[in-house]
């Protein structure tokens, strides 16, 4: 395994913490993550990661994505541990090396600056995980323990962690957050097994949802993406009946239903 480390981060505590989790890895210093990430490489690079810093972490959501234009994506990582066939990451980057941005204080400052300098009283929403699954990699990045308490210090701002992961053990040890919601993407098991490679099963996701609800966490459910597979009406009808039977939706904060969400550029 190779860890590519930006030279400016060789003394960064977060970077060193990630490196310590891979004592067998070879660490190669680089000037900028784009020196590796922007190269067209064979898609067998899962054994490599890049530790880097991001300058502009925030991006306003595209038109019609959320309820208002005071919603933002923020990126702390690139590429996903999962391999969903319909995902835009299939062609978004030149390779599949995972990049972890560890200048968390800079990212927090950018978020805080947006919240404090906005003239709007509309609640600000920040979507994490638009290029990755932060819950799935939390054991590597410590994302949750860094950003969930941070968002609880902010007024009029909330974070959504959208996920297919069931990596909730650390969440269950934390105090349930008031400003963070865990949003689970759900699909019928037949679609998960065929198209959402390496992801947890529907039953495991339901189990994780119920565990978080019982622990007092705010949970969203995302029926996304709906796929027009053969016999989809029967498949989705049975799926909805199964999910409603196994999750108490009176405890769910919100539900979203949608097809594949791509920007015009995608």
């Amino acid at each position: 395994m190779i860890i590519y480390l930006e030279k400016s981060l060789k003394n960064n505590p977060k970077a060193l913490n990630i490196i310590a989790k891979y004592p067998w890895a070879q660490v190669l210093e680089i000037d900028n993550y784009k020196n590796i990430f922007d190269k067209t490489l064979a898609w067998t690079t899962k054994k490599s990661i890049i530790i880097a810093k991001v300058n502009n972490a925030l991006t306003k959501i595209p038109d019609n994505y959320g309820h208002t234009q005071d919603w933002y994506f923020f990126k702390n990582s690139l590429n996903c541990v999962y391999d969903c066939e319909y995902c835009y990451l299939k062609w978004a980057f030149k390779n599949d090396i995972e990049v972890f941005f560890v200048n968390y204080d800079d990212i927090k400052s950018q978020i805080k600056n947006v919240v404090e300098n906005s003239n709007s009283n509309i609640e600000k929403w920040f979507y994490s995980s638009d290029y990755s699954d932060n819950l799935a990699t939390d054991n590597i990045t410590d994302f949750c323990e860094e950003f969930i308490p941070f968002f609880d210090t902010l007024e009029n701002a909330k974070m959504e962690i959208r996920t297919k992961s069931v990596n909730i053990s650390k969440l269950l040890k934390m105090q349930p957050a008031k400003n963070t919601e865990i949003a689970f993407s759900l699909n019928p098991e037949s679609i998960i097994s065929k198209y959402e490679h390496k992801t947890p099963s529907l039953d495991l996701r339901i189990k994780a949802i119920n565990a978080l609800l019982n622990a007092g966490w705010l949970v969203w459910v995302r029926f996304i993406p709906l796929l027009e597979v053969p016999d989809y009406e029967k498949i989705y009808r049975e799926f909805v009946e199964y999910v409603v039977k196994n999750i108490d939706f009176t405890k769910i904060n919100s539900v979203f239903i949608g097809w594949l969400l791509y920007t015009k550029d995608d």
Side-chain angles (χ1 to χ4, degrees), residues 176-196:
K178 65 178 181 179
N179 287 340
T180 295
E181 302 195 347
I182 314 299
F184 283 87
S185 296
L186 301 183
N187 248 321
E189 182 58 37
S190 59
I191 288 177
I192 290 174
S193 60
K194 186 172 182 178
Y195 298 108
E196 298 182 358

Side-chain angles (χ1 to χ4, degrees), residues 19 52 78 120 221 233 252:
I19 292 171
L78 301 173
S120 171
V221 168
E233 291 183 346
I252 296 294

Side-chain angles (χ1 to χ4, degrees), residues 37-38 43 78-79 87-96 130-131 262 265-266:
F37 193 67
D38 285 354
W43 283 75
L78 301 173
N79 273 324
C87 184
Y88 58 85
L89 291 178
K90 289 288 188 182
W91 62 82
F93 306 123
K94 292 185 177 181
N95 60 65
D96 64 344
D130 57 317
Y131 290 117
Y262 294 148
D265 288 342
D266 291 333

